[in-house]
Amino acid sequence: MKNQYLSIDFDSTNYKRRILWKIIGLVCLFLLVALSGFWIGEEQIEANMGEKHLSPSLDHPFGTDWLGRDMFFRTLLGLHLSWKVGLFAAVISTVIALTLSLLSSINKFFDSLVTMLIDLFLSIPHLVALILIAFVLGGGVKGIVIGIAFTHWPSLTRVLRAEILQIKSSEYVHISKKLGKSRMWIIRHHYLPQLAPQLFVGFILLFPHAILHESAITFLGFGLSPEQPAIGIILSEAMKYLTMGMWWLVVFPGLSLFGMVVIFDALGNNLRKLLNPN
Amino acid sequence: MTKWLGAFMLECKNIGFYYNRSNWLFRNIHLSIERGEIIGIYGKSGSGKTTLAKIMANYLSPTEGEVLVDGEKSNHSEVYPVQLIWQHPEQAINPKWKLSKIFEEAKELDQDIPSILGIKEEWLNRRAHELSGGELQRFCIARAFHPDTRYIIADEITSMFDAITQAQIWHALIRLVKERNIGVLAISHHISLLERISDRIIDFNQLKGASEKSF
Ligand SMILES: Nc1ncnc2c1ncn2[C@@H]1O[C@H](COP(=O)(O)OP(=O)(O)OP(=O)(O)O)[C@@H](O)[C@H]1O
Ligand SMILES: [Mg+2]
């Protein structure tokens, strides 16, 4: 629905209100997990040889590992790191998508250039491109963030480009041009306000991808270095101990990662419903 | 006509246009509108009136011929001196905007224009879907009266509204046009309306037909 007046209206239907509460709930849940990392110190994940290989208990809800480190805090730290990587990657991706989609609105030449770039990047599997970029940049947080950012912009760019194309052909944009308005004026007053919801939802929906891919390539050994408390590292290390029956090393961090991804996905989809009722 | 008047006209010189290469919509159209003059034009649906309006307001380039504004071809980056008012105001206003922004868009508008057009203060804080078509059209008309506007093309601008709204809008529009010495091309199916507002009426089919032999 293009002509719908889109805004978050607290007095509107029950439906909207329900979705709004869902979103608030999800955001709280997410903040609890993501921000907890800021308060977790080194001492909480220190090796403690007296408490090795403990299965889950009240003291250690996620158990401990082969060095006696508390898995609950390690998992939280891992999620915190994933969230930060996701945040940077999603910001860069969104900026790339916005820039390219605006570029494509200039003329046919730029449009086909951008479309070609989109098709090119979409034709390479994410993981392959990601591994290549991360590898070339020497791994680490920088490699991963840039890798994810540069592989995840195409689909959002495509959505934004289509949206701009539609706005661009509308009568009110033509009229603005005939009233002597500059390209920048039209971007600022016609394009950006209508792109804002898409941009925001796209940004949020980039997180789950970024987080899963970060974990995946870290797990495969191309990503974050082993000293970093990433979920991918936790999982790949834990694989060795899985055969020894220490299931909790894999199950809880894995489920937490999954939970985080689900939260973001639900958040993105609910935001989309709220901002764009149809 | 005396020679010097020629410089103050909107002129279509030998205009021809097609959307589809194999099929001319019209050819050899000659039409001129003087400053301060209101010309009414009617014609069959689908005959190309809106297309001609778009060509005259520089939304489309003619396939052949040229449009001269006061004797010269106008440049593109400035406010175009020929402003087109569209039939459907709800498509001519960004649905996300508050209507006050229309006045921001046409920024150097004369102070008295909104009141002459009967635009109410309380409409300014609303968005397009919160106003009626007739109310919206007044904003579109106001916007067309940029200080640089010298000609206005009004393409069926009141055909969606009741008789009273139609009369109010045209009354205001004629007053504004006469005060500012603006030339108007009014397109409509209502010949009775055109008879009331125009200085001169043209049958678009005749305009086309006059050149048909030369196809
Ligand atoms: N963008 C376009 N591409 C191809 N053909 C078009 C396009 N716009 C209009 N036409 C065709 O050109 C012809 C003239 O259309 P136009 O809108 O100028 O007619 P009109 O005289 O304004 O009709 P009405 O009185 O119904 O408004 C029509 O046959 C229409 O189908
Ligand atoms: Mg028409």
Side-chain angles (χ1 to χ4, degrees):
Chain A
M1 275 268 305
K2 287 284 112 53
N3 292 326
Q4 185 76 31
Y5 154 37
L6 303 176
S7 79
I8 301 175
D9 183 355
F10 288 84
D11 297 325
S12 75
T13 58
N14 265 335
Y15 171 73
K16 272 196 174 176
R17 192 174 303 182
R18 234 180 21 245
I19 289 180
L20 197 66
W21 278 115
K22 247 193 236 169
I23 289 174
I24 291 171
L26 288 165
V27 168
C28 290
L29 197 62
F30 152 73
L31 284 178
L32 201 69
V33 175
L35 299 183
S36 62
F38 285 118
W39 289 284
I40 298 174
E42 284 291 310
E43 66 281 359
Q44 269 140 320
I45 54 161
E46 254 173 11
N48 182 349
M49 290 309 173
E51 296 191 319
K52 283 194 286 191
H53 306 313
L54 296 181
S55 57
S57 65
L58 279 182
D59 276 349
H60 302 289
F62 288 9
T64 63
D65 65 4
W66 59 96
L67 292 171
R69 291 177 292 189
D70 181 275
M71 287 308 290
F72 177 69
F73 288 116
R74 281 193 81 199
T75 301
L76 273 184
L77 268 183
L79 291 178
H80 178 69
L81 185 66
S82 291
W83 167 71
K84 278 199 289 196
V85 168
L87 179 70
F88 280 121
V91 167
I92 297 174
S93 248
T94 309
V95 169
I96 294 175
L98 181 63
T99 311
L100 286 181
S101 57
L102 288 176
L103 193 69
S104 80
S105 77
I106 293 179
N107 60 29
K108 281 219 175 71
F109 171 76
F110 284 110
D111 187 43
S112 43
L113 191 73
V114 169
T115 312
M116 207 180 66
L117 272 178
I118 292 175
D119 290 341
L120 180 71
F121 271 78
L122 281 179
S123 66
I124 311 169
H126 274 175
L127 210 54
V128 175
L130 185 50
I131 289 173
L132 275 175
I133 295 174
F135 185 74
V136 167
L137 291 173
V141 173
K142 193 182 83 182
I144 288 226
V145 166
I146 293 178
I148 294 172
F150 276 78
T151 47
H152 283 70
W153 58 266
S155 43
L156 181 58
T157 309
R158 199 145 70 167
V159 172
L160 295 180
R161 173 186 164 271
E163 185 86 357
I164 290 181
L165 227 55
Q166 198 189 353
I167 305 170
K168 192 185 173 185
S169 67
S170 67
E171 287 176 9
Y172 49 82
V173 169
H174 289 305
I175 292 169
S176 287
K177 283 185 191 157
K178 294 295 172 243
L179 284 167
K181 297 300 172 207
S182 65
R183 182 167 282 139
M184 276 320 288
W185 195 94
I186 288 172
I187 289 175
R188 161 124 172 53
H189 296 274
H190 285 302
Y191 295 170
L192 290 183
Q194 298 206 52
L195 292 181
Q198 240 91 359
L199 215 53
F200 191 51
V201 171
F203 169 74
I204 297 287
L205 285 177
L206 270 166
F207 273 82
H209 281 267
I211 290 168
L212 278 178
H213 277 127
E214 178 261 314
S215 301
I217 75 163
T218 300
F219 180 81
L220 293 172
F222 297 103
L224 301 176
S225 56
E227 308 89 63
Q228 268 154 333
I231 300 279
I233 299 286
I234 294 175
L235 289 176
S236 65
E237 282 177 353
M239 292 314 278
K240 286 180 260 174
Y241 296 86
L242 198 58
T243 46
M244 293 166 59
M246 294 163 69
W247 53 272
W248 58 89
L249 293 186
V250 174
V251 170
F252 289 121
L255 277 181
S256 311
L257 178 69
F258 183 64
M260 178 109 148
V261 167
V262 168
I263 287 178
F264 270 113
D265 210 46
L267 194 60
N269 286 324
N270 278 300
L271 272 174
R272 184 170 21 216
K273 277 188 221 158
L274 186 72
L275 296 172
N276 220 346
N278 285 16
Chain B
M1 277 308 132
T2 41
K3 189 97 179 156
W4 62 271
L5 264 176
F8 296 98
M9 286 199 298
L10 172 59
E11 292 169 285
C12 290
K13 288 199 154 168
N14 204 25
I15 296 283
F17 187 85
Y18 57 68
Y19 286 106
N20 184 335
R21 197 171 280 277
S22 63
N23 193 0
W24 287 92
L25 184 55
F26 47 71
R27 270 187 110 167
N28 304 325
I29 297 268
H30 292 274
L31 177 65
S32 49
I33 303 165
E34 284 169 38
R35 297 284 289 271
E37 180 187 37
I38 300 180
I39 296 189
I41 194 164
Y42 65 93
K44 281 207 303 280
S45 188
S47 55
K49 301 181 298 297
T50 298
T51 306
L52 182 66
K54 284 182 182 168
I55 291 172
M56 291 172 82
N58 199 24
Y59 286 75
L60 289 173
S61 304
T63 314
E64 57 178 26
E66 57 185 4
V67 178
L68 295 181
V69 185
D70 295 343
E72 50 191 49
K73 284 194 158 181
S74 258
N75 55 333
H76 291 239
S77 57
E78 298 296 305
V79 179
Y80 199 71
V82 184
Q83 287 291 325
L84 175 61
I85 307 172
W86 300 66
Q87 179 175 7
H88 301 285
E90 55 287 354
Q91 285 163 24
I93 291 174
N94 187 328
K96 289 220 151 187
W97 283 9
K98 285 198 173 131
L99 283 148
S100 51
K101 195 140 176 186
I102 293 289
F103 294 122
E104 221 177 283
E105 186 183 22
K107 56 175 183 294
E108 300 128 46
L109 226 52
D110 289 348
Q111 296 282 317
D112 57 341
I113 289 179
S115 65
I116 291 175
L117 282 164
I119 290 172
K120 297 211 178 81
E121 191 83 36
E122 72 238 40
W123 296 346
L124 296 180
N125 261 323
R126 304 200 202 149
R127 274 162 236 253
H129 75 283
E130 297 167 309
L131 287 175
S132 77
E135 289 161 355
L136 286 179
Q137 191 65 295
R138 293 165 204 257
F139 284 89
C140 295
I141 294 170
R143 173 170 63 177
F145 280 94
H146 190 280
D148 294 348
T149 302
R150 282 173 269 161
Y151 299 93
I152 284 179
I153 318 280
D155 186 8
E156 316 255 20
I157 59 169
T158 55
S159 49
M160 311 291 286
F161 315 131
D162 63 62
I164 294 174
T165 309
Q166 191 167 346
Q168 280 175 347
I169 287 181
W170 274 107
H171 191 78
L173 203 141
I174 289 171
R175 176 176 162 195
L176 289 169
V177 159
K178 295 292 177 197
E179 279 173 9
R180 286 163 180 73
N181 199 30
I182 287 174
V184 175
L185 180 70
I187 302 173
S188 176
H189 290 289
H190 293 269
I191 297 179
S192 57
L193 170 74
L194 291 181
E195 278 167 349
R196 245 174 301 137
I197 61 170
S198 315
D199 301 321
R200 157 160 92 90
I201 298 183
I202 298 174
D203 177 353
F204 187 65
N205 299 311
Q206 245 165 29
L207 196 64
K208 275 171 82 174
S211 55
E212 216 108 75
K213 295 149 208 116
S214 57
F215 261 58

